[in-house]
Amino acid sequence: MVTIEEVLAAYFDCRKHKRNKQSAVAFEANLPHNIYTLAQELNDGSYTIGVSRCFVVTTPTPREVWAASFRDRVVHHVLYNRTAPIFIPTFSAASSACLPGRGTLYGSKRLERFIRSGTQNWQKEMYFLQMDISNFFVSIQKDILSRLHAQKIHCPWTLRLVEQVLRHDPTQNYTFAGDRAKLALVPPHKSLFNTHPCMGLPIGNLPSQFDANIYMDVLDQYVQHTIKPQGYVRYVD
């Protein structure tokens, strides 16, 4: 079950830097009712995920971005606030993506420390391997994520909501923003429209970012404890 206080805290997290957005203004216009109704729906099981907004960005390369409604983003923050304290302490220190205090600066400083150590402060030759997972977000298998969720989330209510968000297919209920012709710029194998329902996460949502870390932590742990390289750092994929 979720409390009114949890939903309200998630709302405040959600509106950071977005308070002037039309969707945030509309939600805040009737805030007590919206918070109470959302909490009630989450608790009685009647909550349904709303319409997503799809648009295409072209830099650095063309890709689809999926934006959930403001109401659904509040729910995303409810889940994050519940699950982040469970997973983050177990994550490898090598992960430097979408985690508090672990952004690009954290990753670059960690990498620099490994290089300085391996090259004896730039005096010695050192080899490195740079890797990237092809079509990462659309290739993620939801069944694997479900198993990883179940291993650590022991609250049935939380796990049920996590699964509802994970299994939601935004391509079945969406609006398109901007020039629809830009969809043709996205390679077919990188589009959720061409992905099997059991695979793929929508780029742009908080649960997708966090689930990516849960998914990739399996690799992090294997690299660090089995391969044991001199240094290792990961940013998203």
Side-chain angles (χ1 to χ4, degrees), residues 36-55:
Y36 175 80
T37 302
L38 182 54
Q40 189 175 43
E41 289 179 11
L42 289 169
N43 284 328
D44 65 21
S46 63
Y47 166 73
T48 57
I49 298 173
V51 180
S52 296
R53 184 169 60 93
C54 177
F55 57 96

Side-chain angles (χ1 to χ4, degrees), residues 4-234:
I4 294 289
E5 289 75 16
E6 278 185 275
V7 178
L8 187 60
Y11 158 73
F12 285 121
D13 290 339
C14 185
R15 80 171 190 180
K16 287 178 182 176
H17 313 299
K18 296 180 180 178
R19 192 170 184 180
N20 293 326
K21 296 281 187 178
Q22 184 177 354
S23 57
V25 171
F27 192 90
E28 188 172 1
N30 197 6
L31 186 61
H33 171 78
N34 288 331
I35 293 294
Y36 175 80
T37 302
L38 182 54
Q40 189 175 43
E41 289 179 11
L42 289 169
N43 284 328
D44 65 21
S46 63
Y47 166 73
T48 57
I49 298 173
V51 180
S52 296
R53 184 169 60 93
C54 177
F55 57 96
V56 173
V57 296
T58 56
T59 55
T61 57
R63 59 176 179 158
E64 297 167 358
V65 177
W66 296 86
S69 69
F70 186 84
R71 190 173 192 261
D72 291 333
R73 293 202 301 273
V74 172
V75 175
H76 295 171
H77 280 275
V78 168
L79 286 178
Y80 179 82
N81 291 341
R82 283 195 168 210
T83 58
I86 298 172
F87 283 97
I88 291 179
T90 70
F91 286 161
S92 163
S95 175
S96 57
C98 308
L99 296 172
R102 295 201 223 169
T104 52
L105 181 60
Y106 171 93
S108 61
K109 285 185 174 181
R110 179 179 171 87
L111 178 60
E112 183 182 10
R113 286 198 304 272
F114 288 137
I115 295 174
R116 284 187 177 275
S117 174
T119 61
Q120 295 182 6
N121 206 23
W122 317 105
Q123 300 302 309
K124 187 179 171 184
E125 189 177 60
M126 183 184 187
Y127 292 93
F128 73 94
L129 175 65
Q130 180 178 349
M131 298 180 291
D132 179 75
I133 296 178
S134 178
N135 309 321
F136 175 58
F137 277 96
V138 295
S139 66
I140 288 176
Q141 296 187 38
K142 295 181 180 180
D143 288 345
I144 293 176
L145 265 173
S146 289
R147 292 197 295 270
L148 295 174
H149 289 154
Q151 287 173 8
K152 289 191 169 71
I153 301 174
H154 303 305
C155 169
W157 182 92
T158 304
L159 187 59
R160 185 168 56 252
L161 186 58
V162 165
E163 284 296 297
Q164 181 180 0
V165 172
L166 172 64
R167 299 291 175 174
H168 175 69
D169 181 0
T171 67
Q172 300 303 305
N173 187 17
Y174 73 97
T175 59
F176 192 85
D179 184 2
R180 196 178 184 90
K182 287 186 177 180
L183 272 175
L185 301 175
V186 180
H189 62 284
K190 292 180 178 290
S191 172
L192 272 187
F193 289 104
N194 302 313
T195 302
H196 190 279
C198 289
M199 298 180 67
L201 298 182
I203 296 175
N205 285 340
L206 177 60
S208 298
Q209 296 172 1
F210 194 65
D211 275 341
N213 274 316
I214 294 174
Y215 200 79
M216 291 298 289
D217 186 63
V218 178
L219 174 64
D220 295 341
Q221 301 297 342
Y222 176 79
V223 170
Q224 292 193 278
H225 299 294
T226 302
I227 300 177
K228 299 180 181 179
Q230 188 170 353
Y232 173 66
V233 61
R234 175 179 63 81

